[in-house]
Amino acid sequence: MGVLSCMKYLMFIFNVLVFAGGICLLSVGVWVAVDPAGFQDIVAAKPVLSVGAYLLLAVGIALSLLGFLGCCGALRRSRPLLLVFFVLVSLVFVTQLVGAVLFLAHWKQVALVPQIRPELFLLELRRNYCGDEGAEVFSVAWNTLMVTVSGQEAPAEFSCCGVLGPEDFGNGSHFQELHPGTPWPQACCARDGLLQAGELLSWEQCQERSPGYIHEQGCFPTFSKTLQKYISVPGLCSLAVLGIEIFAMFFAFCLYYNFD
């Protein structure tokens, strides 16, 4: 009975964590779906963002339901609830396993990074970016992105300017209409500290495009390289989730056949 009691409480703790994770995903999905403060205006791929929001909602609801069933089944020693939990987790496990196999078999065809076109982001940037003093969500988001990691202490691979480079703010852009004669915003310039609090090394040198005073690479290739570098992380996380689901099914199976 001691082992059975330990398994019951382990399953309860596990499902509490699953339930909490589902609530978190559900909250993020709702937040993105209702578009607070024009959140969707930050990115160009709004349809993709909308689909992602509803996907988060679906996954959050599913995880919350699974966690709730597991907790109730373990605490109430309910065989019907444990059976439903076991069947649902088994379905999720099989679906994830099939998806992982298909992804590994066709990962070159379904790789996301090559399919994302920088032209979409560049068009939005040239059309909507207002400059360093822009108070709307779009400009604030881009300024934060370009200044988040900068300065002499920052790794060069994370510093960026515009979508493809400083030329993105040239003639024909909304930024040039508002700031004629200014080649690019100060957010593209190197600083002596982190974030917006850091002082510019030299605005004059930055305008002259002197090496070390301006971020030459665009944000799109910077983040593309980062995604490609850590492309294996989602796969490892998926394997971890599959392992956790196997333990969950094992606990549910054992408890089901030991409860009266």
Side-chain angles (χ1 to χ4, degrees), residues 47-223:
V48 175
L49 187 63
S50 298
V51 171
Y54 291 111
L55 181 61
L56 285 176
L57 287 173
V59 173
I61 292 173
L63 288 178
S64 301
L65 178 61
L66 282 176
F68 178 77
L69 288 174
C71 289
C72 292
L75 288 182
R76 300 183 61 182
R77 305 168 65 94
S78 172
R79 296 187 69 187
L81 288 178
L82 287 174
L83 180 60
V84 173
F85 175 81
F86 179 83
V87 171
L88 290 178
V89 173
S90 300
L91 290 175
V92 173
F93 176 82
V94 172
T95 302
Q96 287 181 326
L97 190 60
V98 172
V101 171
L102 292 175
F103 178 81
L104 291 175
H106 305 284
W107 71 273
K108 290 184 178 180
Q109 288 80 9
V110 300
L112 295 179
V113 174
Q115 296 180 5
I116 301 176
R117 296 164 50 194
E119 292 80 8
L120 296 175
F121 296 94
L122 180 59
L123 180 63
E124 291 290 323
L125 179 70
R126 292 178 61 83
R127 180 186 297 169
N128 299 310
Y129 181 75
C130 296
D132 297 293
E133 304 301 327
E136 79 288 351
V137 175
F138 188 89
S139 297
V140 171
W142 268 100
N143 288 332
T144 302
L145 176 65
M146 293 187 289
V147 181
T148 294
V149 182
S150 61
Q152 294 178 322
E153 301 176 357
E157 61 268 20
F158 290 117
S159 301
C160 64
C161 175
V163 177
L164 298 176
E167 295 83 0
D168 297 346
F169 302 98
N171 293 333
S173 66
H174 186 53
F175 173 78
Q176 275 296 316
E177 294 177 359
L178 297 176
H179 309 278
T182 302
W184 38 74
Q186 294 184 6
C188 290
C189 301
R191 298 170 182 262
D192 61 0
L194 300 180
L195 304 178
Q196 285 90 339
E199 294 289 335
L200 292 179
L201 294 181
S202 173
W203 174 230
E204 292 75 16
Q205 294 288 338
C206 179
Q207 288 179 298
E208 295 175 3
R209 207 164 184 170
S210 300
Y213 291 89
I214 183 173
H215 307 316
E216 293 284 356
Q217 59 185 352
C219 296
F220 184 85
T222 298
F223 283 93

